[in-house]
Amino acid sequence: ANMLAIPRKQRAMVRKGIKNELVSHIDPNVDRFFALYADNVLRHGTPALPKKFFQRLKEAFGDDCEVLTVTDPAGRTLSSVLSFYFRDEVLPYYAGDDLAARDLAANDFKYWELMRRACERGCKVFDYGRSKIGTGPYSFKKNWGFEPQPLSYEYRLYKRDSVPQNNPMNPKYRAFIALWKRLPLGVANVIGPHIVRHLG
């Protein structure tokens, strides 16, 4: 029933992942997830949160924090998502993928598998999280047939006239993003956590 509820073009992408014989795994730790996540955010020009942060999430939330990782039939890691379970909801929160994931439809397969497994756990709500209108993530989620719900925010400004635009779409971050993308992954993973705590 869920497969048929997905719009035709997106359903074709899920079936492409199945046809490519992709496999989903529930990981006991964050190792494979973090490798994909850190590489992914570097390609987008964003500092990564520290690996220790994700390890602590797993420790604090136990079975309600789950890592699902997708591999090809040979075991090559392609895509991963760290999700939270709450009541009858599943919330995919952090994700990462390999460059090869797109051609193999690994991201599409990953979210399908998360939905399928969440149904087995008795979940009824798939909360795809927030995305800014006009961005790639927003379009990707909309392609699944999800109806966006507007979120209302209230701000109290302190010593300023407007809400800070601490996001990658802000033109003042373009130079930083371009520079960050050129860093070696090991260097970015060491200095990134010190920078990311001061963003936002």
Side-chain angles (χ1 to χ4, degrees), residues 85-107:
Y85 286 89
F86 178 67
R87 295 179 183 156
D88 63 347
E89 300 181 34
V90 60
L91 301 91
Y93 214 82
Y94 297 101
D97 56 71
D98 187 78
L99 281 170
R102 179 172 288 183
D103 289 340
L104 296 169
N107 288 329

Side-chain angles (χ1 to χ4, degrees), residues 43-198:
R43 289 196 317 266
H44 287 89
T46 307
L49 292 161
K51 184 177 181 181
K52 198 178 290 182
F53 171 73
F54 299 107
Q55 290 169 335
R56 297 244 169 93
L57 288 176
K58 283 279 295 163
E59 291 164 11
F61 289 93
D63 290 340
D64 292 330
C65 178
E66 186 178 85
V67 174
L68 183 145
T69 300
V70 171
T71 65
D72 67 10
R76 178 176 55 148
T77 308
L78 295 170
S79 192
S80 190
V81 60
L82 184 147
S83 304
F84 295 99
Y85 286 89
F86 178 67
R87 295 179 183 156
D88 63 347
E89 300 181 34
V90 60
L91 301 91
Y93 214 82
Y94 297 101
D97 56 71
D98 187 78
L99 281 170
R102 179 172 288 183
D103 289 340
L104 296 169
N107 288 329
D108 309 275
F109 179 78
K110 171 180 70 184
Y111 288 113
W112 165 250
E113 280 293 288
L114 180 61
M115 290 176 201
R116 187 184 64 76
R117 289 173 178 267
C119 286
E120 289 175 352
R121 283 180 64 145
C123 291
K124 296 183 175 128
V125 177
F126 189 90
D127 185 340
Y128 231 150
R130 60 186 187 153
S131 294
K132 292 186 186 305
I133 293 174
T135 64
Y138 176 88
S139 298
F140 179 78
K141 295 170 185 180
K142 195 123 174 26
N143 288 344
W144 282 84
F146 287 92
E147 285 300 320
Q149 302 293 321
L151 296 174
S152 299
Y153 294 90
E154 184 173 312
Y155 298 92
R156 183 168 187 169
L157 300 177
Y158 179 72
K159 292 186 177 178
R160 59 187 321 137
D161 299 325
S162 61
V163 176
Q165 296 299 311
N166 295 326
N167 64 72
M169 297 170 76
N170 187 334
K172 81 174 189 176
Y173 290 120
R174 283 191 188 137
F176 173 80
I177 290 170
L179 175 66
W180 194 263
K181 287 179 179 180
R182 294 189 189 125
L183 287 177
L185 182 59
V187 174
N189 284 348
V190 170
I191 63 176
H194 301 287
I195 293 171
V196 79
R197 71 177 58 173
H198 300 293

